[in-house]
Amino acid sequence: MQFTRADFPEGFNFGVATSSYQIEGHSFGGAGRTQWDDFAATPGNVKNAETGAIAADHYHRYEADMDLVAQGNFDCYRFSTSWARVMPDGFTVNPDGLDFYDRLTDAMLARGIKPCATLYHWELPVPILDRGGWRNRDIADWFADYTHTIMARIGDRMHSVAPINEPWCVAWLSHFMGAHAPGLRDIRATARAMHHVLLAHGKAIHTMRGLGMDNLGAVFNFEWADPADHTPEAAEKAALYDAIYNRWFLGGVFKGEYPANVLDGLGVHMPDKWQDDFPTITAPVDWCGLNYYTRKLIGPDGGAWPGLKEVEGPLEKTLMGWEIYPEGLYNFLTRTAREYTGTLPLTVTENGLASPDVIENGRIDDPQRSSYIAAHLASVRRAISEGVPVNGYYLWSLMDNYEWAFGYEQRFGLVHVDFDTLERTPKASYHQMAQNLRR
Ligand code: FCB
């Protein structure tokens, strides 16, 4: 993996990303119970029933962790603020929570790191879930109140902010597939979550504009969908997967419309007068973030709508079983600019892989990660050379962390974490990035 900053446009930002529940330790500092604590307590949901109670203990070790960002020569640190830490019951402020994000912000600035915040990376306080969570339209206003509370404190020092990480995961993965908290498999709940998550995004943007903030964006996760075979049925299902996963959210935020083939299934379950919310949902943003990892091969599966299934593909895979497909990142960068965002800056806000990293003689070799990064950066450069305004690339993740339903087994970090001792050890890929990014 060899490149220099000169291979990218002037001002291009390199960063590393994390999220609150995955690293901080939610048993510390007065944080409230989140939906992930409950989800993990139900057998079968999370590997070894693990939670983020301690995670990587970033709550106490954030200064040393910011040293790792700085020594890696990264420009940006993308982190999330936890609603459950700032407002443990969803409504009442926890001063220690605000203080923590204040200290963390200053720790970044002291090292010349640009703070890039996400307001929600799935840290839903359970009292909000008790009120219906993302099914309840009122969540958009509650989320806007939380947005105001945290950004009134740290918003003056943020480089960039996005309200919600990966609306597809918040809505579809968590309410239709049941794979993430709150673990529902309910099409009606899904339709509401698919809409309310974007309404909350729009209200949060509006709230932050009211605070005088700029450089506000939206962060989506995208999966490229290819038909599993050459039949028209497979092509139709791949297009439907693409619409559910990718186009629903881009269409909502940038065009004020949802794809017709998704409304075929969700329309009857949508909340009343959903069309009236588009003026809020389409609140102008300053950039669009893309989280990209893999592609899927999709075929028909009979049964109820959407009647599709994933088929195993032939490409090299990561430890997660995800195919490595750098072309997908190029495809999304070019397509998003062409069809949705025009000249708006695009940022790759997450990209990376899990590998079975072990320490040997004090070293951790992770060659698959290095070649994955090199291949995806080549896709970014190809898109830039064709005029796509990409302004940054952030790796997931700074360090190994709580990988949701997979617990602590899947290691996505550039820095290894021993979850017994909590010791951090930079992997070979981290050293290579630091070398490539030196000024
Ligand atoms: C993304 C999530 C992040 C992490 C990576 C592997 O979808 O935003 O928290 O789980 O995948």
Side-chain angles (χ1 to χ4, degrees):
M1 183 201 357
Q2 277 201 337
F3 65 91
T4 70
R5 286 183 179 271
D7 297 330
F8 293 84
E10 185 68 31
F12 191 88
N13 284 312
F14 289 89
V16 276
T18 65
S19 86
S20 161
Y21 191 79
Q22 293 179 274
I23 63 167
E24 287 175 3
H26 260 60
S27 54
F28 309 126
R33 196 173 172 83
T34 79
Q35 59 176 352
W36 274 90
D37 300 305
D38 286 0
F39 186 66
T42 305
N45 281 345
V46 176
K47 178 122 189 165
N48 303 323
E50 289 166 336
T51 72
I54 296 174
D57 190 26
H58 172 74
Y59 185 77
H60 296 109
R61 296 163 193 256
Y62 67 94
E63 294 274 4
D65 290 339
M66 291 308 100
D67 286 343
L68 287 166
V69 179
Q71 287 157 12
N73 293 324
F74 294 103
D75 310 296
C76 293
Y77 178 54
R78 176 173 178 257
F79 67 107
S80 76
T81 57
S82 165
W83 190 348
R85 180 177 296 292
V86 172
M87 296 165 136
D89 65 359
F91 301 97
T92 315
V93 174
N94 166 30
D96 289 348
L98 286 177
D99 289 349
F100 172 67
Y101 294 117
D102 201 82
R103 291 197 299 275
L104 177 61
T105 299
D106 286 344
M108 287 179 239
L109 295 179
R111 292 163 176 81
I113 302 164
K114 297 174 186 171
C116 303
T118 305
L119 287 159
Y120 183 78
H121 202 124
W122 318 341
E123 309 91 356
L124 194 76
V126 292
I128 300 284
L129 188 58
D130 289 339
R131 290 169 164 81
W134 290 104
R135 281 170 288 177
N136 186 339
R137 178 185 175 82
D138 292 341
I139 195 171
D141 290 319
W142 302 334
F143 183 67
D145 287 346
Y146 153 64
T147 299
H148 190 277
T149 301
I150 179 66
M151 284 303 146
R153 181 69 179 266
I154 64 170
D156 58 332
R157 284 159 287 158
M158 292 299 108
H159 170 69
S160 67
V161 183
I164 291 167
N165 180 65
E166 305 187 342
W168 177 87
C169 290
V170 174
W172 191 268
L173 185 66
S174 308
H175 295 81
F176 193 82
M177 296 172 69
H180 272 195
L184 299 183
R185 298 193 63 241
D186 181 325
I187 195 169
R188 196 164 179 81
T190 303
R192 278 136 206 276
M194 294 281 275
H195 183 65
H196 294 153
V197 70
L198 292 184
L199 183 61
H201 157 85
K203 291 203 174 195
I205 294 288
H206 182 75
T207 299
M208 290 190 281
R209 296 286 183 213
L211 288 168
M213 295 173 61
D214 60 11
N215 209 14
L216 309 179
V219 172
F220 308 105
N221 56 317
F222 293 138
E223 263 186 21
W224 193 254
D226 279 327
D229 56 42
H230 294 298
T231 62
E233 291 78 16
E236 184 195 321
K237 293 302 181 184
L240 178 56
Y241 187 90
D242 180 37
I244 292 170
Y245 208 114
N246 310 309
R247 293 187 182 277
W248 177 276
F249 304 99
L250 283 167
V253 170
F254 293 107
K255 294 188 175 180
E257 64 184 33
Y258 293 141
N261 54 352
V262 186
L263 288 171
D264 286 345
L266 296 188
V268 63
H269 304 293
M270 292 292 282
D272 289 344
K273 299 192 179 152
W274 54 272
Q275 293 93 338
D276 296 353
D277 292 326
F278 280 127
T280 306
I281 291 171
T282 56
V285 290
D286 305 306
W287 53 274
C288 175
L290 295 81
N291 295 355
Y292 176 78
Y293 291 91
T294 190
R295 72 150 183 186
K296 290 283 163 59
L297 294 185
I298 304 297
D301 195 27
W305 184 92
L308 52 76
K309 67 173 179 215
E310 296 174 12
V311 176
E312 189 174 340
L315 305 179
E316 180 190 341
K317 298 187 181 64
T318 72
L319 192 60
M320 292 286 280
W322 294 348
E323 285 192 310
I324 300 177
Y325 188 63
E327 293 83 352
L329 180 56
Y330 166 82
N331 294 345
F332 275 122
L333 289 169
T334 49
R335 188 178 87 172
T336 302
R338 191 173 60 239
E339 297 188 27
Y340 294 96
T341 55
T343 56
L344 202 69
L346 303 181
T347 310
V348 179
T349 33
E350 284 182 28
N351 183 231
L353 61 71
S355 48
D357 305 318
V358 286
I359 305 189
E360 275 175 299
N361 304 323
R363 282 181 52 85
I364 299 154
D365 282 321
D366 55 345
Q368 194 186 34
R369 177 168 293 103
S370 296
S371 54
Y372 181 100
I373 294 170
H376 286 79
L377 279 175
S379 283
V380 171
R381 288 176 63 188
R382 186 173 159 213
I384 291 172
S385 74
E386 293 175 19
V388 179
V390 191
N391 70 358
Y393 173 84
Y394 308 165
L395 284 161
W396 185 271
S397 174
L398 169 63
M399 58 185 152
D400 295 340
N401 58 49
Y402 179 68
E403 182 42 43
W404 307 115
F406 298 91
Y408 291 96
E409 190 182 68
Q410 296 284 337
R411 294 178 173 276
F412 274 89
L414 294 174
V415 174
H416 180 274
V417 177
D418 179 323
F419 289 105
D420 295 324
T421 65
L422 297 168
E423 188 183 350
R424 277 80 163 135
T425 310
K427 304 177 189 177
S429 58
Y430 170 94
H431 294 301
Q432 288 164 3
M433 284 302 288
Q435 178 76 5
N436 291 334
L437 295 180
R438 71 190 186 284
R439 290 185 186 277

